[in-house]
């Protein structure tokens, strides 16, 4: 049984789904929550190391924020902790904070960053900015994720090899790794490879097992039984147990961290809403973007005060949660409770965990960020978007992850502007024996045209920024075809802006002086009213404005029958 509700999400959706909760779903939610915990907790520990934070921060992030989302979230199955992307962005931001004010503790810097991320998400909810989930284009996001994947690879390889390098940027770090290869710790590398092998074997042959938990657990067991630290294998070391202490943000870092927090908030929400929508069942309520802003914002805002790093919805852990049978967010609450239990009782067991095992977990589950198949698919559709994807990836690798967000946003804006300001202009022909008019192509050479009549159609809003480009394409078509009548199909134009309307009036006079009549068809009411206000509609009159293209063509055929 699956709960289904309609309408807008309440402030706390838990009050809605709990009222209709069927006890028969309790076992499914409980099993799903425990199964997800077995995946979420080891990965959260690993992601904390990406950000340069103590591994217990991963436990903090998988407990309180997930519980808050369970109360406020609109998705029935979304699992919220942190992700590789957010972890690497957090690492860059915390490096900036340490440079700006070395006197502030790492815990306070993390609290400042996470609280700022939460505050920005909540503010976005107040301003109803849920639509920003669709702001970054898919090709640009693909490039950004690929860049992040490459950065994570370079960041984690030293831990796999047991070497130490000074970090100065992705490309320089990669070169430093090559230079340090002779210093590789063979035992450390074997531990990493063994962890990889265990995870790969489980994922391919026994997917029902929690591969990250088994991989990390195997590393801990090997560390204890074989005395790996005595062989030069770096381990996590002492892990504080108990509840996370209250940590207040450092006011001195707010001015330094807010740009990074803004970028992380955008990526957190983008990943969260994408994961929530991807795993929504047909019988579930579609996730409410504004509610997701509130839920993830509150999770970060409160979680940041108690040791959590910036978080959001994760795709892989949500897939596990849903696949294990989760019906409601009670599964998320079970996962949060399990993470809390680990904080209270299992922290001492984490001390012998090899860093190489954590790095292996990170790299295994970050590999999907780099997807050549996605690039190939984009290139097959359109080479321009492929170039933008490559540019987004290069921006992250060359400039850094935080600057890479700016590159991604700018590229998305450029994409939007290019598409809006370079609308196509098609020449139309009539499909034989029908009243259907379609763009003329080599695929349909049989489409009919009338001598002396040129039918053109553009798409989208016509306004000051694109009117000149549209005008040039129309003039080029008129010069090539030399028609006596130019008919513009306006059915795909939702609106004409004032400047564009004035340019249309000027073009009508220009064409008229050259012996070409301008006709218009299928104007919507708003555009027609604007043309009336500038006098163009009265000048064209009913003899040159028509309800649709078919009526205009019939009128042309009637008027010019002798000439035809």
């Amino acid at each position: 049984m699956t709960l289904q509700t309609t309408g807008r999400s309440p402030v706390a959706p838990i009050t809605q789904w709990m009222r209709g909760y069927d006890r028969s779903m309790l076992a499914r939610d409980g099993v799903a929550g425990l199964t997800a915990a077995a995946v979420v907790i080891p990965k959260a520990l690993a992601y904390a190391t990406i950000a340069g934070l103590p591994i217990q921060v991963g436990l903090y992030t998988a407990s309180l924020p997930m519980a808050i989302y369970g109360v406020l979230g609109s998705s029935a199955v979304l699992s919220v902790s942190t992700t590789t992307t957010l972890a690497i962005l957090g690492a860059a931001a915390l490096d900036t904070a340490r440079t700006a004010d070395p006197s502030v503790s790492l815990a306070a810097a993390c609290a400042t960053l996470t609280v700022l991320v939460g505050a920005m998400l909540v503010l976005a909810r107040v301003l109803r900015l849920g639509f920003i989930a669709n702001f970054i284009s898919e090709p640009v996001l693909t490039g950004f994720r690929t860049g992040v994947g490459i950065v994570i690879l370079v960041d984690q390889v030293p831990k796999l090899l047991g070497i130490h390098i000074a970090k100065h940027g992705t490309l320089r770090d990669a070169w430093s790794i090559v230079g340090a290869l002779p210093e590789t710790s063979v035992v450390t590398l074997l531990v990493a490879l063994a962890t990889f092998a265990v995870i790969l074997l489980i994922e391919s042959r026994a997917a029902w097992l929690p591969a990250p938990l088994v991989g990390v657990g195997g590393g801990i067991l090997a560390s204890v039984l074989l005395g790996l630290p005595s062989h030069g294998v770096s381990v996590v070391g002492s892990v504080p147990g108990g509840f996370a202490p209250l940590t207040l943000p450092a006011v001195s870092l707010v001015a330094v961290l807010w740009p990074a927090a803004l970028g992380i908030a955008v990526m957190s929400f983008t990943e969260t809403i994408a994961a929530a929508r991807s795993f929504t069942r047909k019988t579930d309520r579609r996730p409410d973007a504004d509610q997701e802003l509130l839920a993830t914002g509150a999770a970060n805002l409160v979680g940041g005060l108690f040791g959590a790093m910036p978080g959001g919805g994760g795709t892989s852990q949500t897939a596990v949660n849903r696949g294990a049978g989760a019906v409601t967010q009670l599964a998320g609450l079970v996962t949060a409770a399990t993470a809390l239990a680990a904080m209270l009782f299992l922290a001492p067991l984490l001390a012998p965990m090899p860093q190489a095992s954590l790095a292996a977990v990170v790299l295994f589950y970050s590999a999907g960020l780099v997807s050549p198949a996605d690039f190939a698919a984009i290139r097959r559709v359109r080479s321009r978007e492929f170039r933008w994807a490559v540019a987004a990836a290069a921006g992250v690798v060359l400039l850094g992850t935080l600057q890479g967000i700016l590159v991604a946003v700018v590229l998305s804006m450029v994409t939007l502007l290019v598409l809006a300001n370079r609308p196509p202009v098609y020449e139309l022909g009539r499909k034989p024996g029908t009243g259907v008019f379609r763009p003329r192509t080599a695929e349909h050479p049989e489409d009919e045209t009338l001598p002396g009549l040129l039918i053109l159609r553009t798409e989208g809003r016509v306004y000051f920024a694109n009117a000149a480009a549209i005008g040039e394409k129309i003039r080029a078509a008129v010069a090539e075809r030399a028609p006596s009548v130019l008919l513009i199909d306006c059915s795909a134009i939702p609106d004409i802006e004032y400047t564009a309307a004035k340019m249309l009036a000027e073009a009508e006079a220009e064409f008229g002086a050259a012996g070409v009549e301008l006709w218009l068809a299928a104007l919507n009411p708003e555009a027609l009213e604007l043309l009336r206000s500038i006098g163009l509609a009265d000048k064209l009159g009913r003899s040159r404005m028509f309800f649709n293209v078919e009526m205009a063509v019939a009128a042309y055929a009637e008027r010019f029958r002798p000439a035809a």
Side-chain angles (χ1 to χ4, degrees):
M1 176 181 177
T2 303
L3 295 175
Q4 183 176 14
T5 53
T6 58
R8 196 167 189 82
S9 297
V11 174
I14 190 174
T15 61
Q16 194 169 61
W17 60 259
M18 280 296 288
R19 281 198 300 269
Y21 195 82
D22 189 331
R23 290 187 179 181
S24 65
M25 299 184 294
L26 184 60
R28 294 173 62 186
D29 278 335
V31 170
L34 292 171
T35 304
V39 173
V40 169
I41 292 174
K43 291 174 72 174
L45 299 176
Y47 295 160
T49 65
I50 294 179
L53 294 165
I55 68 166
Q56 65 267 23
V57 171
L59 291 175
Y60 303 155
T61 308
S63 54
L64 184 56
M66 188 171 295
I68 292 172
Y69 182 85
V71 173
L72 300 177
S74 64
S75 168
V77 297
L78 184 67
S79 182
V80 172
S81 58
T82 191
T83 68
T84 50
T85 302
L86 300 181
I88 198 69
L89 293 175
L94 293 175
D95 282 343
T96 302
R98 280 192 288 261
T99 303
D101 191 348
S103 65
V104 177
S105 69
L106 183 59
C110 181
T112 307
L113 177 64
T114 309
V115 168
L116 279 173
V117 170
M120 289 176 178
L121 289 170
V122 172
L123 178 62
R125 166 61 183 88
V126 172
L127 298 176
R128 297 191 178 279
L129 299 180
F131 64 88
I132 65 173
N134 303 316
F135 188 70
I136 298 181
S137 71
E138 185 63 29
V140 171
L141 190 57
T142 296
F144 177 80
R145 286 173 175 160
T146 296
V148 166
I150 294 171
V151 170
I152 291 173
L153 172 65
V154 174
D155 181 71
Q156 295 296 305
V157 163
K159 296 178 183 178
L160 294 180
L161 303 178
I163 60 178
H164 301 279
I165 62 169
K167 295 187 176 181
H168 300 288
T170 302
L171 294 181
R172 291 179 63 184
D173 290 353
W175 184 249
S176 297
I177 290 171
V178 173
L181 285 178
E183 303 171 16
T184 298
S185 166
V186 175
V187 179
T188 301
L189 178 59
L190 290 175
V191 170
L193 293 176
T195 305
F196 266 125
V198 168
I199 295 175
L200 180 61
L201 182 65
I202 292 175
E203 291 285 1
S204 59
R205 300 293 180 84
W208 53 274
L209 283 173
L213 182 62
V214 176
V216 169
I220 293 174
L221 188 62
S223 180
V224 173
L225 296 179
L226 302 178
L228 293 180
S230 64
H231 295 283
V233 176
S234 177
V235 296
V236 168
S238 177
V239 178
F243 293 104
L246 173 65
T247 306
L248 297 178
V251 177
S252 63
L253 291 179
V254 171
V256 175
L257 288 177
W258 77 260
L262 178 60
I264 294 172
V266 170
M267 292 311 302
S268 171
F269 181 55
T270 300
E271 290 192 328
T272 295
I273 198 66
R277 289 173 176 172
S278 296
F279 293 97
T280 297
R281 293 170 292 235
K282 292 180 180 179
T283 52
D284 289 339
R285 174 204 297 272
R286 182 170 173 80
D288 182 332
D290 287 329
Q291 185 66 28
E292 292 301 286
L293 282 171
L294 175 63
T296 54
N300 280 281
L301 192 59
V302 179
L305 298 174
F306 293 92
M309 60 191 284
T315 301
S316 59
Q317 64 198 53
T318 301
V320 170
N321 193 43
R322 176 180 163 175
V327 182
T328 70
Q329 270 301 327
L330 183 60
L333 296 176
V334 171
T335 302
T338 306
L340 177 61
M343 286 166 48
L344 297 178
F345 307 114
L346 301 181
L349 301 179
L350 302 177
M353 183 187 303
Q355 294 280 6
S357 292
L358 282 176
V361 171
V362 169
L363 287 179
F364 187 90
Y365 291 100
S366 301
L369 293 174
V370 182
S371 177
D374 288 343
F375 278 84
I378 294 168
R379 189 173 188 177
R380 282 195 300 270
V381 174
R382 188 170 292 172
S383 60
R384 181 173 59 196
E385 275 81 354
F386 171 77
R387 291 193 294 271
W388 287 333
V390 172
V396 174
V397 173
L398 298 176
L399 302 178
T401 51
L402 295 175
Q403 294 86 344
I405 292 180
L406 179 61
V407 171
V409 171
V410 169
L411 284 174
S412 292
M413 292 176 65
V414 169
T415 302
L416 182 64
L417 289 173
V418 167
L419 292 176
N421 295 336
R422 295 182 182 176
V425 175
Y426 306 108
E427 180 181 353
L428 303 184
R430 180 166 54 192
K431 182 179 180 180
T434 72
V436 175
F437 291 84
R438 60 189 180 187
R440 297 188 65 191
T441 63
E443 185 179 355
H444 298 289
E446 73 279 4
D447 285 355
E448 301 168 347
T449 61
L450 276 72
L453 175 63
L454 174 62
I455 310 175
L456 299 179
R457 179 172 69 198
T458 188
E459 298 173 348
R461 186 170 185 261
V462 182
Y463 63 111
F464 61 90
N466 65 11
I470 294 172
E472 289 304 314
K473 293 179 181 180
I474 292 175
R475 288 185 178 90
V478 169
E480 179 183 352
R481 298 290 185 181
S484 55
V485 171
L486 167 63
L487 170 61
I488 299 179
D489 175 11
C490 303
S491 60
I493 301 175
D495 185 34
I496 300 177
E497 180 263 343
Y498 177 79
T499 304
K502 292 289 288 183
M503 293 174 72
L504 180 62
E506 293 168 1
E508 189 279 333
E510 174 188 331
F511 288 139
V516 179
E517 289 189 21
L518 174 65
W519 292 11
L520 302 177
L523 280 164
N524 68 48
E526 291 80 5
L528 177 59
E529 187 60 33
L530 178 61
L531 296 187
R532 282 174 177 161
S533 68
I534 64 172
L536 180 58
D538 293 336
K539 185 175 182 181
L540 296 177
R542 292 183 178 274
S543 63
R544 290 199 280 163
M545 291 195 299
F546 304 88
F547 287 110
N548 54 49
V549 173
E550 189 173 9
M551 293 177 65
V553 170
Y556 176 86
E558 181 65 27
R559 181 188 298 188
F560 293 92
R561 185 180 300 275

